[in-house]
Amino acid sequence: MKPTRPFHQTPVIAIDGPTASGKGTVAALVAAQLGFHLLDSGALYRLAALASVRYGVAADDDAALAALVGDLHITFREGCAQLDGVDVSSDIRAEEIGNRASAIAVHQSVRAALVARQRAFRKEPGLVADGRDMGTVIFPDAVLKVFLTASVEARAARRYKQLIQKGFSANMDNLLRDLRERDERDSNRAAAPLKPAADAKLLDTSALSIDQAVDEVVKWYRER
Ligand code: DC
């Protein structure tokens, strides 16, 4: 029988960065190219945010939020995110749910309640994990850590396009304001702030196509 690698050696590529930096798209395409599993950790925070709205838990009640997150009934199947057995893939993409996810993600108790769920995605032959703290907290032993950045204007333009394509309404000025607020909150919170791991490679995607960004990450992985 072919020996399997011990759990801790299953390779992880951590892709972190601010909202709308393109990390979700890049992570999905890198995972597809390498045949790796994919963890969209933001989707977990968004599911928690949606559940908090549905169950009427306040965004500042950290104990109740942590209990809610511990009990969350969520599944990812064929690219769909389900809450309590119902497909909520498009509900969690709404901008207000993203903002609420950012607000509940400041609580250390909420983050702690999501650690094991995130690490459970690490399976052979490998994992591409995208988020804010993949390389710093969740998978500090990742074989490759990438920190994707892009100017706030480039990110707002991408988010605008994404929202319109998904049938949501969008306003550029509001998006710019929300992105700045979220960057500020995600970067300055005490618990697992958004920052590059000391050993992360920085990739500014402002002037890159998605394909160029994917090629760069795959090249780094192959060269490591
Ligand atoms: O990546 P995203 O926009 O889907 O994430 C939504 C929010 O969830 C983000 O503003 C902050 C939070 N988040 C986090 O704190 N840590 C992660 N690993 C992923 C997301």
Side-chain angles (χ1 to χ4, degrees):
M1 207 170 79
K2 205 171 145 211
T4 47
R5 279 181 289 218
F7 168 77
H8 65 276
Q9 283 181 8
T10 301
V12 175
I13 300 177
I15 303 186
D16 289 305
T19 198
S21 56
K23 64 191 160 31
T25 312
V26 171
L29 290 170
V30 169
Q33 255 195 50
L34 297 174
F36 279 14
H37 300 276
L38 177 68
L39 164 62
D40 169 5
S41 62
L44 288 177
Y45 285 90
R46 286 169 180 266
L47 282 162
L50 182 66
S52 75
V53 174
R54 296 210 170 153
Y55 292 106
V57 176
D60 59 355
D61 188 343
D62 62 336
L65 284 170
L68 175 79
V69 168
D71 277 350
L72 274 186
H73 220 254
I74 53 184
T75 34
F76 291 96
R77 202 165 290 148
E78 289 158 14
C80 290
Q82 296 186 333
L83 177 64
D84 299 328
V86 178
D87 182 7
V88 291
S89 315
S90 82
D91 307 60
I92 60 169
R93 293 296 144 202
E95 216 38 27
E96 65 267 23
I97 295 298
N99 289 332
R100 191 172 175 96
S102 166
I104 68 168
V106 301
H107 302 299
Q108 179 53 38
S109 54
V110 171
R111 309 196 68 83
L114 284 173
V115 169
R117 280 184 202 262
Q118 294 176 85
R119 291 193 177 144
F121 279 78
R122 186 176 200 165
K123 291 196 186 117
E124 292 290 333
L127 175 69
V128 180
D130 102 62
R132 305 291 186 290
D133 60 344
M134 297 297 100
T136 48
V137 176
I138 306 297
F139 302 110
D141 62 341
V143 290
L144 172 64
K145 300 177 187 179
V146 179
F147 195 84
L148 280 195
T149 53
S151 67
V152 71
E153 292 78 12
R155 290 187 286 128
R158 284 178 196 163
R159 178 51 58 85
Y160 182 86
K161 215 169 120 193
Q162 247 175 22
L163 287 168
I164 297 293
Q165 272 168 359
K166 290 193 169 130
F168 292 107
S169 62
N171 169 293
M172 202 54 182
D173 290 339
N174 293 348
L175 277 176
L176 273 169
R177 190 201 55 217
D178 284 357
L179 281 186
R180 289 197 174 102
E181 267 176 25
R182 259 162 84 174
D183 283 356
E184 171 79 18
R185 190 165 48 216
D186 293 349
S187 308
N188 294 321
R189 67 185 178 215
L194 169 68
K195 62 161 202 260
D199 49 352
K201 286 179 175 287
L202 300 189
L203 185 58
D204 187 328
T205 64
S206 308
L208 293 186
S209 69
I210 295 285
D211 286 347
Q212 288 171 317
V214 171
D215 287 350
E216 192 66 20
V217 175
V218 171
K219 189 179 101 202
W220 281 340
Y221 176 69
R222 297 218 156 106
E223 284 172 359
R224 84 205 185 280

